[in-house]
Amino acid sequence: MATTNLKKLSDMPELLSGGHAACPGCAGPVAIRQILLAAQQDDVYVVAGIATGCMEVSTTVYPNSAWRVPLVHNAFENVAATISGAEAAYRSLKKQGKYDKKVAFLAIGGDGGTYDIGLQSLSGALERGHDFTYICYDNEAYMNTGIQRSGATPKGAFTTTAPAGKVEPGKRQVKKDLTAIVAAHEVPYAAQASPHRPRDLMKKVQKAVGIQGPCFLNVLSPCPRGWRYPPDQSMQMCKLATDTCVWALYEIEDGKLTVNYKPKQKQPVRDWLKSQGRFRHLFAPQNEYLIEEIQQDVDRRWQRLLALEAMDKGQ
Amino acid sequence: MSERMALTGNDSAAYALKQINPDVVAAYPITPQTELMHKFAAYVADGDVKTEFVTVESEHSAMSAVVGASLAGARTCTATSANGLALMWEILYIAASCRCPIVMPVINRALSGPINIHCDHSDTMGARDAGWIQLYSENCQEAYDNTIQAVRIAEHPDVRLPVMVCLDGFILSHTLESLETSDDQTVQNFIGEFERPDNLLNVDHAETFGAFALQNYYFEFKKQQADAMVNAVAVVQGIGSEYGTLTGRPYDLLEPYRCDDADVVLVGLGSTMGTAKQAADDLREEEGLKCGVLKVRCFRPFPGEQLCQALKDVPMVGVMDRAISFGLGGPLFHEVRSARYDAAGPMMNFIYGLGGRDLSLDDAGEVFRTLARAGESGRAEPTVSYVGVRE
Ligand SMILES: Cc1ncc(C[n+]2csc(CCOP(=O)(O)OP(=O)(O)O)c2C)c(N)n1
Ligand code: SF4
Ligand SMILES: [Mg+2]
């Protein structure tokens, strides 16, 4: 049965093998390994789809594949639609008595493939109510094509299409709140998670897989190359993101929001910004006002989450 | 057992889809394809089919969903027109390279802009290099017959490629015709069961579909696709003749009409070939002009060899194109001419009917006369001309 016991899980065979071509220290494969281990159970088989992006390109270089579950890659913006079709095929074949296994469908996409170009395909699949779990691994830029800005890139970050220059301070716009957009589809389950808290992440995967209907998980996925920090620091980045409340761990189940992690002492966002090269320019005198703005943005979003949680609890 | 029914082109394709009874159909509305999917949705609503009907939010997702379904081992169909086909573009290529035997009626409509809802072939002609087999229909009977045969062609183990069944928007899609249909069981027996053992749901044998293939493998994928297209020539012929034995309506790659003794022959595709046949009859009778028509039913794979054979003794050949390859002329013309390169005789290209402009019997007659004059004078000029357009 489903377990999140780390000891037991560590004895189970990996479903994403080593030997793939992701950069050393990339958080993406760490998250995907946890997700696959959690989703595959004795009587439930995982069938996954993946959008074009770093995780696809680095794990499926023909004739090799790191995937030990069936995987389909179609294109960049359509993993939700592709999995819709596979799930419809599954329902059809089951109904006709031509297939008898139980399958959990996962659609996996990067932030570019989900927040931006794949948003329509995701929205359509959520609205139609397919029984699948969508997982966005959010590394906050188009990494595969060379660190371009996406709708998930946070304010102030340096990217190759919104670089910091003499007159521009990096990206000027705030990060899109995708999880809220997904929740607005009134799906049965939507959550944010992070691989530095595997129990929390895996529990969420198991919940999502167990729930009938479209579920969604937004998983923070630090990228040493694009964020510019040493490759052995990815899990520290995750921890810092949750301790500064830049990335909140929460879930919305049947419309009720619960915050899963509240730091005892909320760290200043400055600590987060200092840890990564992509924010270095913010500490130049002409840009420092942005640090204050970013802190205010983070505080506002965090307060809103807490308020929503309180409201849903009827407090 | 067969039955006569009065059906429009859309109805006839929908009826064929009902009898095919696919596992998954994805649909998104666009004129003039809409009625086809209305009909099919009604079959779903009445429980006449076992199909999972996926009402996607765009044609891009329609094509993406049928690729996912097909790779999961399902028999799948969708249908579209013009801008819808254009929105699918990226995934058309992927469907072919993943060797998904999807069957898709395309109700031919002019591509925007200007936006227009009527017939021409700019949509499917633009998709001619996407790796799909393309069958063109002259009338509603052929739309029905082609849709059923398309399943067999697409799923044939030597082929395994998607098929577009092209039928002219409004001219066929919205015109009632009396046609002969087979009963459901006959259709089912003809198409058989779909099996794709290597599929996504085969969880005991996990495979990766749509992998990243670089300089060392991509080319082999494409070569296999090209070989499958070559194989499709014989498969289209074989299935067309088998279908003929079953229904009394045999099909081939081409349909020559009064070509044997013809001095001038018009090559083309789609509903206009009906008009051309009538004009050929009239001109033979009234003006003693020996006209013939060569209908291209199968445009991809392109039946170059068969076409040369059919045209080998024809002194003057004209090609009718309902699409423009801008800066070149008509796409069909250029393919016919290049196929005939070694046996070259003079040829002329007539672009007609864009955006649904009618090609009258008189227009078709005038095209034949132009060819005859060119034949007599030995001057086939201009190579490309436009029929029925204001200068
Ligand atoms: C239609 C289309 N547009 C653009 C691309 C180029 N492209 C491939 S991957 C990618 C970036 C992916 O970014 P994201 O989804 O964030 O995943 P990451 O690489 O960051 O993991 C882009 C822009 C494409 N493959 N298809
Ligand atoms: S660029 Fe970033 S996201 Fe992509 S593989 Fe490297 S570390 Fe991972
Ligand atoms: Mg990204």
Side-chain angles (χ1 to χ4, degrees), chain B residues 1-25:
Chain B
M1 224 178 55
S2 65
E3 190 187 344
R4 277 230 151 253
M5 298 173 85
L7 298 173
T8 64
N10 271 335
D11 290 350
S12 69
Y15 193 69
L17 289 188
K18 181 202 94 130
Q19 297 187 306
I20 292 163
N21 203 353
D23 300 311
V24 175
V25 167

Side-chain angles (χ1 to χ4, degrees), chain B residues 17-59:
Chain B
L17 289 188
K18 181 202 94 130
Q19 297 187 306
I20 292 163
N21 203 353
D23 300 311
V24 175
V25 167
Y28 192 81
I30 181 165
T31 304
Q33 159 267 29
T34 38
E35 276 84 355
L36 192 168
M37 281 305 173
H38 297 172
K39 260 282 150 62
F40 193 80
Y43 293 133
V44 174
D46 287 336
D48 292 333
V49 286
K50 59 173 194 226
T51 308
E52 280 297 324
F53 190 52
V54 188
T55 48
V56 283
E57 82 300 330
S58 72
E59 288 90 351

